Amino acid sequence: MLVNKFGRIGLQAGYFVLIARQLGASDFGAFAAVVAIAGILAPFAAGGRMQLMIRNIVQKRASIGEQLATSLLATGLSALALGSVVLLVSSWVAPDNLPVFVIAMILVADLFLSRIVDVASAGYIAVRRMKRAAACVVLLQLVRLMAAVAAFIGLFEMTLKSWSVAYSTTTLLAAIVVVVVAARDLGLRRPDLARYKRDAPLGYQFSVGLASQSIYNDIDKAMLGSLSTTAAAGLYTAAFRLMDVAFTPVRAMLGAAEPRFFEKGGQGGLRATLSYARKLATPAIGYSILASFVLVACAPLAPVVLGASFAEATLALRFLAFLTVVRAAQYLLADSLTGAGYQGRRTVAQICIAVLNVGLNVWLIPLYSWQGAVVSSILCDALLLLILWAIAAWTLRSEDAVVSELLDERTSF
């Protein structure tokens, strides 16, 4: 799972360094803004199918063929519909003067093809074939990195248009390979549309929760491109991605633990998932503290690696560094709630934070540019941690009260 997450984020960091140096802060910011929009909508394209597939396969291993086919079909149709809508309103949500062709190429890659790869990877995670799950993600990011290297050594001229074509084409190649191999390894059967309908409400909760998470992670990058400058969006995105790379080991551990959270929740509710989370807390939070100090110390290297136009990324990275600690605790609480069957409560908390984040960005970005986005991110992540802690404490007391009442009834009987 560490390879999986570094494949998604570490290799992504490799090609974003190359394209950032070639495109410059302004064009890179425009690209990052559209990628951020796709990232916000991606959970709706997937419809929560990855989480549902893991849960359903954990409950019934023999259903994997139907689950994989259902998830691929549902994800593909949802992604195409969403992408069409975004293209229709692109003049309002994308940076000014960005060609529709460029937007379309990025949306095809990130809304449709990348989600197909994620579904196949989730199928492997559900049956604990982590090497295969990692291979799916590594292949996707590796072919993109190869395209960036090709431009860097002069095989084609790096422009926003040429990069969008290369980005989409390499994603298509990876998606074809991944689906063919997953179909061979896991099997494909007729989609289980009846189960899909039954699972739709929970899938909606997953998708809304993940979309809310994407909003307070990525909306600031899109809004910087519209409310400030694409250069500001570029340097803020660079700093945020470097922080995200540092957080990768924690994501890897929690990704590997996802099936176990569902198992623990089914056996003993929230108390069981929180007990499991406590075992993960020491390495997750301990590592995050260390990573935050390393980021602060190494922040002056950012413009050396990315180029002179990213000079202010040093300060942005120093402010964002300690989000690694906040997010480690936040994810542990959130996954405990999901595993115990309280995804709806997690989703409500994430929606509230997403709305607050948008409001703060509308207020702060026009006044303070990327500094306003940094303040908004820090405040929202800290508040979400407090809200999740309060929800977990309240839910735990409710569960204990139910158990106590049942014991009293049994004693009286």
Side-chain angles (χ1 to χ4, degrees), residues 67-79 112 116 119 191 193:
Q67 290 297 322
L68 181 59
T70 304
S71 297
L72 288 172
L73 177 62
T75 299
L77 293 176
S78 298
F112 176 47
I116 294 297
V119 166
L193 298 181

Side-chain angles (χ1 to χ4, degrees), residues 336-362:
S336 296
L337 288 168
T338 296
Y342 298 108
Q343 175 64 35
R345 298 179 187 185
R346 173 182 180 174
T347 297
V348 170
Q350 291 173 322
I351 291 173
C352 292
I353 293 300
V355 172
L356 175 63
N357 185 260
V358 171
L360 286 175
N361 283 326
V362 169

Side-chain angles (χ1 to χ4, degrees), residues 1 12 16 18 62 93 103 115 160 235 274 280 333 354 362 367 383 391:
M1 285 304 296
Q12 187 181 66
F16 101 65
L18 292 177
V93 298
I103 299 172
R115 301 289 74 77
L160 198 51
L235 70 90
L274 286 173
L280 304 178
L333 283 170
V362 169
L367 294 175
L383 183 57
I391 290 173

Side-chain angles (χ1 to χ4, degrees), residues 29-260:
F31 170 75
V34 180
V35 169
I37 293 169
I40 292 167
L41 295 174
F44 291 108
R49 290 308 310 173
M50 287 172 283
Q51 290 73 24
L52 284 172
M53 184 166 60
I54 292 173
R55 187 203 65 167
N56 293 341
I57 293 172
V58 165
Q59 293 175 351
K60 185 180 178 182
R61 174 70 175 264
S63 68
I64 186 168
E66 292 89 347
Q67 290 297 322
L68 181 59
T70 304
S71 297
L72 288 172
L73 177 62
T75 299
L77 293 176
S78 298
L80 289 174
L82 268 178
S84 300
V85 172
V86 174
L87 281 179
L88 290 175
V89 300
S90 60
S91 60
W92 290 284
V93 298
D96 293 338
N97 301 320
L98 187 61
V100 174
F101 176 80
V102 171
I103 299 172
M105 290 294 98
I106 297 172
L107 291 177
V108 167
D110 280 0
L111 264 190
F112 176 47
L113 298 171
S114 294
R115 301 289 74 77
I116 294 297
V117 173
D118 286 344
V119 166
S121 179
Y124 285 117
I125 290 172
V127 296
R128 311 245 175 124
R129 297 183 65 176
M130 299 303 183
K131 289 182 180 179
R132 287 289 191 180
C136 294
V137 177
V138 168
L139 176 64
L140 173 61
Q141 304 302 337
L142 186 59
V143 293
R144 289 175 173 177
L145 177 60
M146 291 171 63
V149 170
F152 188 74
I153 63 177
L155 295 184
F156 68 90
E157 183 183 0
M158 174 65 84
T159 65
L160 198 51
K161 183 176 181 179
S162 65
W163 172 246
S164 68
V165 172
Y167 188 74
S168 183
T169 302
T170 52
T171 307
L172 173 62
L173 293 174
I176 291 172
V177 172
V178 165
V179 169
V180 170
V181 174
R184 183 197 66 190
D185 290 346
L186 304 177
L188 276 179
R189 299 182 183 175
R190 180 177 297 179
D192 188 351
L193 298 181
R195 182 64 183 268
Y196 172 75
K197 292 179 181 178
R198 292 198 304 272
D199 286 344
L202 181 57
Y204 179 74
Q205 291 181 21
F206 279 126
S207 60
V208 172
L210 290 169
S212 300
Q213 181 177 314
S214 296
I215 288 172
Y216 60 75
N217 278 340
D218 294 327
I219 194 67
D220 43 12
K221 304 169 190 64
M223 295 178 75
L224 274 165
S226 299
L227 299 178
S228 183
T229 64
T230 53
L235 70 90
Y236 175 77
T237 299
F240 198 94
R241 292 304 179 211
L242 290 171
M243 183 276 294
D244 222 17
V245 169
F247 191 61
T248 297
V250 178
R251 290 183 187 275
M253 182 175 65
L254 294 178
E258 187 174 5
R260 190 63 59 84

